[in-house]
Amino acid sequence: MKILLLGEYSGFYSNLKKGFIKLNHEVHLCASKDSFKEIDGIDSLIESAYKNEFFRKIDLAIQFLFCFFKARNYDAVFLINQGFIEPKIFSGVILWYLKRFNKLLFLSACGEDVPFIRFGKAGGYKWWIYNKQPNCKGVSSARYQNRLEYFVHNQIVKYVDGVIPSTYGYRLPWLRYHEDLVCESIPPAIDTSTISFISQEKSYEDQKVVFFHGINRPCHKGTHFIIAALEKLRAARPNEVEIIIDGGLPLNKYLSLLERVDVVIDQCLGYDYMSMNAMYSLALGKIVCVSAVDESFNYFGISEHPIVQIEPNVDQIFNKLHKVLDQKTDIPKMQKESRLFVERENNSKRVARLYCDLIQEKSNDRNLMLY
C-alpha cells in the first residue's frame, strides 16, 4: 500500500512509519520536527528559516499548502490532529482535496481536540489536564474552543472515513460525540529495534535509585503533584534517592539522559500508559510511573503489566515511589519486564498491522481496490 502520514507528536508517526516499512508498504511522512524535539524520519520537512514572525507564518502557510496539495493517489492518508491543518481558514478545501484525491482519510485522536475539551469540561474524566492546579491556567484558556477551531473540527467530521484513537482516554470523547466515526483504539507504536535495552550495572543495595521527571508541559503532566511527591521522598530517604528534573531536550539528548535513570515518573493526569515518553522509557527498560487506569488496561485486554499506577495526589504518588524503593533489589527484574511488555504490546510491526487491517476493512466497506 501507499500511505501518507501528516504531522508528528514526539515520534508517534515516525515509529508507526517504521512499522509500515517492515510490512513492505510505501510510506511518506510530512511534518515538522515537533518543536525542540528534533524528531527524525521526516520525508517532507515543514520548517522556516525566517526570524521575522510575519514572514515565518507566511512561509509556513505556503509549505503546509504544498504538503496537502501534493497528497495524491494514496491508499490511506492519516492526519495526526486538527492542529496540523494550516491555514485553518482553508481547512474545508484542504480536507475535501485530501478525500477527493486519495482512497481513505483518517484522523488520529492522540492529543487535544474539540471533543477532548468538550468531554473534559462536561466532567467526563475523573481527573484531567485542566483541573485546577497551582500556577496553571484553567480550562477557559484551553485550545480548541473558538469558532475557527470548531469550524476545522466540523470539516474533519464531514470528510474523514474514521477516527482512530491512540488510547482508551482519547477514545471516550469521540465515542460520546461521534460514535459513528470512531474506530477501535490502536496503541502507539515504538520501534524497539533501534532502542537498546539499558541494564544498569550497579548494586541497588548500596547505590542510589535515580528518579526522573520531565517538565515539558507541566500543567498537562501534573508536575506540581509529582515534584511535591519527589521532594517528600527525598526528605524521607535522602541517602537512597537521586532526583533529576529536566525538560525541553531534543529526543536524542532526552534518550541519552534516560540511560542512567532507573524510574521515570511520566505524568499523573492521563488515563493510559501510552504517551511516547512512556514508550521510550519502557523500551529502554525503565520503571514507568503513570496515571493509567484499570479500565484502559481492560480495554486493551492487558491482564498483567509492569506500570506503576499513580494519581494526581501527592501522598498516593509518594507511597507508590516509596514502595519502589522498598523493592529496589528487584529493579533489574522490573526493568526487564518493562522492555518485554512494550515489545509485546507496542512493537511497531504489530501496531502497523492493526492499522493495515483497519485500512483493509474500510476499503472493503467502500469496495475500494488497494494497490
Side-chain angles (χ1 to χ4, degrees), residues 44 49 77 108 113 126 188 194 197 200 244 268 292 332 346-347 369:
S44 295
V77 175
S108 293
D113 52 27
K126 58 183 174 181
T194 61
F197 169 62
Q200 303 289 11
I244 301 174
C268 65
N346 300 92
N347 80 77
M369 181 175 293

Side-chain angles (χ1 to χ4, degrees), residues 192 195-200 282-286 332 335-339 343:
T192 54
I195 302 174
S196 299
F197 169 62
I198 305 296
S199 180
Q200 303 289 11
L282 289 165
L284 287 167
K286 309 303 171 186
Q335 291 172 333
K336 291 177 182 177
E337 290 173 350
S338 290
R339 174 70 179 208
E343 284 179 343

Side-chain angles (χ1 to χ4, degrees), residues 165-262:
S166 62
T167 67
Y168 170 78
Y170 285 131
R171 186 173 191 270
L172 296 177
W174 283 93
L175 191 62
R176 175 176 291 187
Y177 302 120
H178 300 287
E179 185 178 3
D180 58 323
L181 278 178
V182 69
C183 305
E184 292 297 323
S185 295
I186 299 178
I190 188 76
D191 182 27
T192 54
S193 67
T194 61
I195 302 174
S196 299
F197 169 62
I198 305 296
S199 180
Q200 303 289 11
E201 300 297 331
K202 67 181 185 182
S203 169
Y204 287 95
E205 291 185 353
D206 53 18
Q207 290 184 271
K208 292 184 177 181
V209 177
V210 182
F211 291 82
F212 171 80
H213 174 62
I215 55 172
N216 177 37
R217 301 194 307 158
C219 295
H220 291 65
K221 292 190 171 189
T223 292
H224 164 76
F225 302 102
I226 293 169
I227 291 181
L230 285 170
E231 292 299 334
K232 188 174 180 180
L233 185 70
R234 194 204 314 260
R237 312 276 286 267
N239 298 321
E240 297 178 63
V241 302
E242 178 184 350
I243 296 171
I244 301 174
I245 299 172
D246 205 345
L249 299 173
L251 181 60
N252 61 340
K253 291 185 178 179
Y254 174 77
L255 296 179
S256 179
L257 172 62
L258 286 186
E259 289 185 6
R260 61 180 296 265
V261 170
D262 299 304

